[in-house]
Amino acid sequence: MLIRTPKDWETSAAVTTESHYHARPRREFLRTLGVGLAGAALLRPGSLFAATAGFPPKPNPLYPASALKPTAEEYVTGYNNFYEFGTDKEDPKVQANKGWKTDPWTIELKGLVNHPAKFDVNELIKKIGGIEERIYRFRCVEAWSMVIPWDGFALAKLVALADPKPEAKYLKFTSFQDPKSAIGQREGNLDYPYVEGLRIDEAMNELAFLATGIFGKPLPNQNGSPIRLVTPWKYGFKNIKSIVTVEFTATQPKNTWNIMAANEYGFYANVNPKVDHPRWSQASERIIGGGFLSGRQDTLMFNGYEKQVAALYQGLDLKKNY
Ligand SMILES: Nc1nc2c(c(=O)[nH]1)N[C@H]1C(S)=C(S)[C@@H](COP(=O)(O)O)O[C@H]1N2
Ligand SMILES: [Mo]
């Protein structure tokens, strides 16, 4: 039996049991029976033709399902920010499922790397060696939060695959451009395509993750199918969805919300209860699905992941670099 000390960021007042979501018992059932990848995909109705459906996530003992209580799945998949599919929280679930195709999907690695490449997402997952589960807190800049069980792989693995040249200091992520499918792009509610960036040392931090699924299933379209960024110590807008290119650059890339309103949204986007948004406080947050009694909580520095990431920002003025 494996005995381990929980990581600091796994502890929470909200502890749950193994049965917090439906996919887990099914996966354990499949494992017990020794059903292979093809069988698992066949037994998962509705996801047979979805990208990444053939890869049941492996539980990662370092990120146990019991540490944080996930938000109910209906909120995670029904209360979304994905401006390509509308500006209301309820829009993406409807608008991203009107024929927008995310399978097949190609993701390109380019720029200052020794191994530029284009991968089909499923090929990429195979090359990376499969996917794992991680449950992270998620904090939107609009002062609400969720807990989301992600499936995917460490972004550091993608960086290793690209093999950056010494001059590469940043990653620039670009989302898809397809106005025919995306009503928000037709309306022009933001400058598109949506772009985001990370410093390369941030991208290689143990927490930085590329998600290909939630709740043990391939990502629903509205959550950024088939592959999206997850940086749990940063505000939600950093977590760019439906990525088509990852470019390694020498200079700091632009990011969409900073382009739209630089005084409100910075490059760093680190969760910081002491630095208010110009139009609202960041000291506390609304817990989505938390109900009336436990509906708010204090926001934590770096969203509770201080031990893992604080060293990245030593000597940086976080009031200026918001
Ligand atoms: N391409 C793209 N990515 C995006 C966004 C967007 O509008 N377009 N919104 C961001 C914001 S503000 C948040 S809070 C998260 C929401 O992710 P979720 O809907 O899966 O919770 O996605 C981020 N990634
Ligand atoms: Mo957000």
Side-chain angles (χ1 to χ4, degrees), residues 76 79-84 138-142 144 146 148 150 175-176 190 192 194 222-224 228 235-242 257:
V76 179
Y79 187 91
N80 303 100
N81 273 334
F82 199 172
Y83 273 43
E84 284 86 337
F138 184 93
R139 172 61 155 79
C140 177
V141 74
E142 298 162 336
W144 52 263
M146 298 190 187
I148 304 182
W150 302 103
S175 190
F176 76 104
L190 288 179
Y192 290 107
Y194 196 100
Q222 62 268 31
N223 292 89
R228 58 89 58 86
Y235 291 123
F237 68 84
K238 267 279 149 189
N239 297 246
I240 181 171
K241 296 174 165 181
S242 306
W257 280 100

Side-chain angles (χ1 to χ4, degrees), residues 180-235:
K180 275 205 184 115
S181 305
I183 187 174
Q185 294 185 339
R186 289 201 299 278
E187 289 171 350
N189 58 17
L190 288 179
D191 285 349
Y192 290 107
Y194 196 100
V195 288
E196 258 303 341
L198 290 176
R199 270 184 2 209
I200 199 161
D201 58 338
E202 295 180 311
M204 290 169 71
N205 183 272
E206 62 169 298
L207 295 176
F209 198 64
L210 284 171
T212 59
I214 49 173
F215 293 94
K217 292 170 272 193
L219 275 180
N221 283 0
Q222 62 268 31
N223 292 89
S225 174
I227 187 162
R228 58 89 58 86
L229 182 64
V230 183
T231 48
W233 70 99
K234 292 178 180 286
Y235 291 123

Side-chain angles (χ1 to χ4, degrees), residues 28-98:
E28 277 168 2
F29 174 70
L30 292 174
R31 259 198 305 281
T32 314
L33 288 180
V35 175
L37 292 186
L42 283 172
L43 285 171
R44 200 179 291 155
S47 63
L48 184 54
F49 299 105
T52 73
F55 302 94
K58 302 178 202 101
N60 179 338
L62 293 177
Y63 304 84
S66 56
L68 291 165
K69 185 183 191 300
T71 301
E73 190 172 350
E74 62 187 291
Y75 293 107
V76 179
T77 62
Y79 187 91
N80 303 100
N81 273 334
F82 199 172
Y83 273 43
E84 284 86 337
F85 297 103
T87 54
D88 288 348
K89 300 287 180 281
E90 295 76 22
D91 288 340
K93 183 177 182 160
V94 175
Q95 299 295 342
N97 290 293
K98 287 186 168 173

